Amino acid sequence: MKYLFLLVFVIELSCSYKEQSYISIEQKKSDYPISLALDNDTIKYMDIPLTFLMNKTSSKKVVLSSCTYLCASDYTLAPHAWDFNAALFFNVNGKVVRTSDIEGLREMNKQQREVIVYIRYKCFTPDFQKIVKSRIKLSQKDGIVKIGSVQELKNNNKELIENLLQHDSICFSFDYKDDINEYRVGYVYMPVSVK
């Protein structure tokens, strides 16, 4: 067991070193609206936008290839495992754009860029359903409802948003060229903060 822990530590250390050699990422406040999907007064899912600033720190090519998410909230019934439930968008001149809408958008440059990751939470516990309905006035029973941003929920319902995001993590995957011009795949794991 000791050797397994040591191996994991060495791998994480080498990944964090590589992270510094080709990409810089930081989470920032998210002012984009959270969406609830309602069906007969039941919350089917919630899309939460998290915002990150990214730029490459290498002169070589770096491309954001994917994003995975670990939901660890006690408010969900789904197993707590890494999942592909994250959708990537970029802020392009103040407009939120899908990564598939503009060719080459995923290629990083040295200028900081805002990446918005929409996380889809679903399979909520009955307790969470009650908490949301008691703290947030929902104007309808069916359809999509915007309930404000992470920042607004932090100001008005801090416990709700913190307990939902608490202990969650995100992983960004990058294709990049190393110092000898070989293609590599790198992973950057980060804990999620309520910003």
Side-chain angles (χ1 to χ4, degrees):
M1 188 69 175
K2 263 195 231 179
Y3 295 111
L4 180 61
F5 174 77
L6 183 61
L7 178 64
V8 169
F9 177 76
V10 168
I11 290 171
E12 284 184 0
L13 189 62
S14 68
C15 286
S16 63
Y17 170 75
K18 287 180 182 177
E19 169 193 344
Q20 298 304 318
S21 67
Y22 67 90
I23 194 77
S24 170
I25 304 174
E26 69 175 275
Q27 187 179 350
K28 65 172 259 188
K29 286 189 215 178
S30 179
D31 293 319
Y32 298 97
I34 296 170
S35 299
L36 291 180
L38 301 174
D39 182 15
N40 251 351
D41 205 27
T42 299
I43 302 168
K44 290 305 207 182
Y45 63 83
M46 179 186 285
D47 286 338
I48 299 180
L50 302 175
T51 308
F52 299 86
L53 294 177
M54 294 185 190
N55 63 286
K56 72 175 184 175
T57 55
S58 165
S59 58
K60 307 280 186 182
K61 185 174 182 176
V62 177
V63 177
L64 174 59
S65 57
S66 67
C67 177
T68 56
Y69 196 79
L70 174 63
C71 173
S73 175
D74 290 335
Y75 284 153
T76 61
L77 299 170
H80 298 162
W82 287 95
D83 194 4
F84 290 92
N85 59 350
L88 291 169
F89 294 82
F90 282 85
N91 180 337
V92 178
N93 300 323
K95 185 178 177 185
V96 177
V97 178
R98 287 180 182 270
T99 55
S100 58
D101 289 349
I102 298 175
E103 189 174 331
L105 190 59
R106 290 179 185 241
E107 187 170 339
M108 297 286 110
N109 55 44
K110 293 212 173 197
Q111 183 179 0
Q112 242 181 9
R113 297 171 66 198
E114 186 177 79
V115 178
I116 305 106
V117 182
Y118 281 87
I119 308 302
R120 178 159 288 180
Y121 286 83
K122 49 191 175 183
C123 304
F124 293 111
T125 63
D127 285 343
F128 181 74
Q129 300 267 353
K130 286 178 196 168
I131 290 168
V132 170
K133 290 172 196 170
S134 68
R135 296 191 185 173
I136 299 170
K137 186 179 178 183
L138 301 174
S139 56
Q140 60 195 62
K141 292 189 175 207
D142 287 307
I144 305 295
V145 178
K146 306 281 186 193
I147 61 166
S149 67
V150 170
Q151 189 61 35
E152 289 169 340
L153 276 185
K154 182 180 175 184
N155 293 338
N156 302 325
N157 293 287
K158 187 175 183 179
E159 185 181 319
L160 185 146
I161 194 68
E162 282 187 346
N163 287 340
L164 186 61
L165 299 177
Q166 187 178 28
H167 307 301
D168 287 5
S169 297
I170 195 163
C171 175
F172 294 100
S173 170
F174 295 91
D175 299 326
Y176 68 97
K177 284 193 172 182
D178 65 11
D179 293 336
I180 57 171
N181 230 22
E182 294 286 327
Y183 272 105
R184 302 279 182 223
V185 177
Y187 302 94
V188 179
Y189 292 87
M190 300 175 63
V192 169
S193 303
V194 180
K195 294 255 184 185

